[in-house]
Amino acid sequence: MVDLSRRDVLRASLASAAVLAAGGTLTGCGTAAAAGDPRTVHLWDLFSGADGVLLNDLLRTARPDMPGTHVERTVLEWGTPYYTKLAMASAGGRGPDVAIAHMSRLAGYAPTGLVDPWDSDLLAEFGVREEDFADAVWRRTQYRGRTYAVPLDTHPFIVFFHPAVARKAGLLTGDGALDQEAFSSPARFLEAGRELAKASGKQGVSFGYVNDTAQGWRLFYGLYRQTGNDFALPEGGPVTADADAMAEVIAFMAKLVDGRANPRRLDYPAALASFTNGQTAMTLTGEWELGTFRAADPKVGAAPFPTVFGTPAIYADSHSFVLPRHPGRNAAQRRRTHQAVAAILKAGQIWAKAGHIPAYEPVTRTRAYARLEPQSRYARAADHVVLDPAVWFTGAGSDFQNAMSQVLQQALLDGLAPDRAARAMIKRINTALSRPSPA
């Protein structure tokens, strides 16, 4: 361990406060492997299982574009443990050369100095520029005019469907794409669910939200942004929100899981199972489930989440590269890190196999990507993504998402009136805003 200055101690305490406010507990963090071979770029990530194997493939594919450089991975547990270790290591200047972080968590890192800005000129030298990314994603990389994250992917909340059933229900276009017009209002979406149930002889649309810490919020926030509204979240509060629009969205969500054409009481695993075993014809979830669904149905279809309330908006997040704070970062190592990340982005076709949309758009413009099914069918979702509000207490794995999802479950499962649910959500947001920001 290194000696910490008084400023480092303060930064560490702020990082600790952020973690605890997000519902986490503090654990010890190991020193980064900064010493040793200067040709090695040390990466922290949270990809295990199939995604971890795919990231290894991605690194092998990228190797020719980073000659003389080896990327060494350290895989840590997803969620609060990961972000705790990253915050504490960054506070002491002991983090890795580069780390993966959800873009939705950047608001808790950039303002506190826990991550360093990227060198835009260096990135451009290696072929990575702002114009290579969707505006909706790139805007979230910025803080005070500097770039603090480089997006690897966009992983949106989308719809999966069984094509044979959807075609029988008359919900596909001539080229096999989902007919978005058939889902373009609350009434039409619910009617489409009934048609899917009729065509399958079972049930229409599954959504797993019971006791889930994020799914309810993901569906709600994307739909709320489709109403043309957002939350204004000034420090100290109160939140500015359209309670009527919130209630309208919640009422639609409750009808979507009313237990008639669509199942009512599903947790996340049960929703996956109901779709893979053919009990439901469509499911609402993240594109990261593509591998699971394709194993059950090799012809599984997918599409961007339909625009139900008039304004295109699709809930999403982004796995991104960040530079943990290093007060004395070596110029040569900094250059090597920028080159490695650029090489990884250019090999994004490999990462697309997991279902994620490569954020580096030159990849999604290739013929090879256009041949990916069903990934190419929902790639345009990246143009309309909305991430969590950019405040320090929101984002992937946060207690905020859990708090919002708890209220939504009361409305969908326990009969809490939509207007009361909206007011309860606003009250919880104001409680979060009343706590001082670590920044």
Side-chain angles (χ1 to χ4, degrees):
M1 301 288 280
V2 297
D3 292 333
L4 300 182
S5 69
R6 293 172 66 181
R7 181 172 294 182
D8 290 332
V9 172
L10 175 60
R11 187 178 281 109
S13 68
L14 293 177
S16 303
V19 171
L20 292 171
T25 57
L26 294 176
T27 61
C29 55
T31 58
D37 190 343
R39 296 171 298 179
T40 297
V41 170
H42 297 279
L43 166 69
W44 281 9
D45 70 74
L46 34 65
F47 300 120
S48 58
D51 275 359
V53 173
L54 202 60
L55 183 57
N56 287 334
D57 292 342
L58 177 58
L59 294 175
R60 280 192 290 270
T61 303
R63 194 172 297 159
D65 282 335
M66 47 176 169
T69 296
H70 168 68
V71 176
E72 182 176 294
R73 295 179 58 202
T74 298
V75 183
L76 300 172
E77 182 182 354
W78 188 93
T80 295
Y82 180 80
Y83 287 106
T84 300
K85 292 178 187 295
L86 181 59
M88 297 303 290
S90 298
R94 298 172 287 109
D97 297 305
V98 64
I100 290 289
H102 287 85
M103 188 81 76
S104 61
R105 298 297 292 256
L106 190 62
Y109 282 74
T112 54
L114 292 172
V115 290
D116 291 336
W118 289 84
D119 186 323
S120 297
D121 291 337
L122 261 184
L123 288 174
E125 180 182 338
F126 295 119
V128 175
R129 305 167 186 83
E130 176 182 346
E131 54 265 32
D132 295 324
F133 301 87
D135 289 342
V137 178
W138 187 258
R139 283 196 300 269
R140 290 297 293 266
T141 70
Q142 303 296 296
Y143 176 68
R144 294 185 175 178
R146 303 290 298 276
T147 299
Y148 281 85
V150 176
L152 169 64
D153 63 37
T154 303
H155 44 278
F157 193 85
I158 63 173
V159 299
F160 287 96
F161 56 91
H162 294 299
V165 179
R167 183 173 289 106
K168 184 178 179 181
L171 299 175
L172 297 187
T173 61
D175 65 351
L178 191 70
D179 183 359
Q180 295 278 325
E181 186 65 25
F183 296 82
S184 60
S185 72
R188 288 178 176 176
F189 200 116
L190 295 171
E191 175 59 26
R194 290 189 287 269
E195 290 300 317
L196 286 168
K198 187 186 304 181
S200 69
K202 297 172 184 176
Q203 291 189 302
V205 182
S206 63
F207 173 56
Y209 67 94
V210 176
N211 296 327
D212 193 89
T213 59
Q215 285 289 86
W217 167 252
R218 289 168 178 154
L219 178 57
F220 166 83
Y221 189 60
L223 291 171
Y224 178 65
R225 292 294 302 273
Q226 289 187 3
T227 68
N229 292 286
D230 197 359
F231 297 121
L233 302 171
E235 186 175 348
V239 60
T240 299
D242 188 325
D244 291 338
M246 293 173 67
E248 183 181 9
V249 168
I250 295 168
F252 167 66
M253 291 173 63
K255 291 177 182 177
L256 192 59
V257 293
D258 66 0
R260 297 175 183 172
N262 310 318
R264 183 185 186 201
R265 188 186 297 266
L266 293 180
D267 60 18
Y268 191 87
L272 298 186
S274 73
F275 183 70
T276 57
N277 65 22
Q279 291 298 309
T280 49
M282 175 178 285
T283 194
L284 316 179
T285 192
E287 48 71 32
W288 52 85
E289 296 296 349
L290 175 60
T292 299
F293 295 150
R294 189 155 48 193
D297 178 2
K299 296 183 179 180
V300 67
F305 199 95
T307 301
V308 183
F309 287 97
T311 301
I314 297 172
Y315 183 85
D317 210 330
S318 169
H319 295 119
S320 302
F321 293 102
V322 296
L323 296 172
R325 172 181 170 267
H326 272 298
R329 193 184 296 271
N330 178 280
Q333 191 69 0
R334 182 181 183 85
R335 180 181 180 83
R336 192 179 294 276
T337 300
H338 281 65
Q339 182 183 34
V341 167
I344 293 169
L345 295 181
K346 293 174 184 177
Q349 178 80 7
I350 298 294
W351 195 237
K353 294 178 181 178
H356 311 312
I357 303 172
Y360 186 67
E361 291 194 327
V363 172
T364 60
R365 299 188 190 113
T366 64
R367 291 182 179 179
Y369 187 84
R371 290 194 293 268
L372 288 179
E373 288 284 351
Q375 292 95 317
S376 60
R377 299 276 188 176
Y378 58 79
R380 67 183 185 277
D383 295 331
H384 303 293
V385 297
V386 292
L387 281 69
D388 275 18
V391 289
W392 67 272
F393 54 79
T394 64
S398 66
D399 188 58
F400 171 80
Q401 290 189 349
N402 186 27
M404 296 296 102
S405 295
Q406 287 176 358
V407 175
L408 291 165
Q409 177 172 311
Q410 293 176 39
L412 273 57
L413 189 61
D414 302 329
L416 180 66
D419 59 334
R420 292 183 60 193
R423 290 196 298 272
M425 292 174 72
I426 290 172
K427 182 177 180 180
R428 293 193 180 198
I429 294 172
N430 282 330
T431 297
L433 285 170
S434 69
R435 299 198 297 263
S437 167

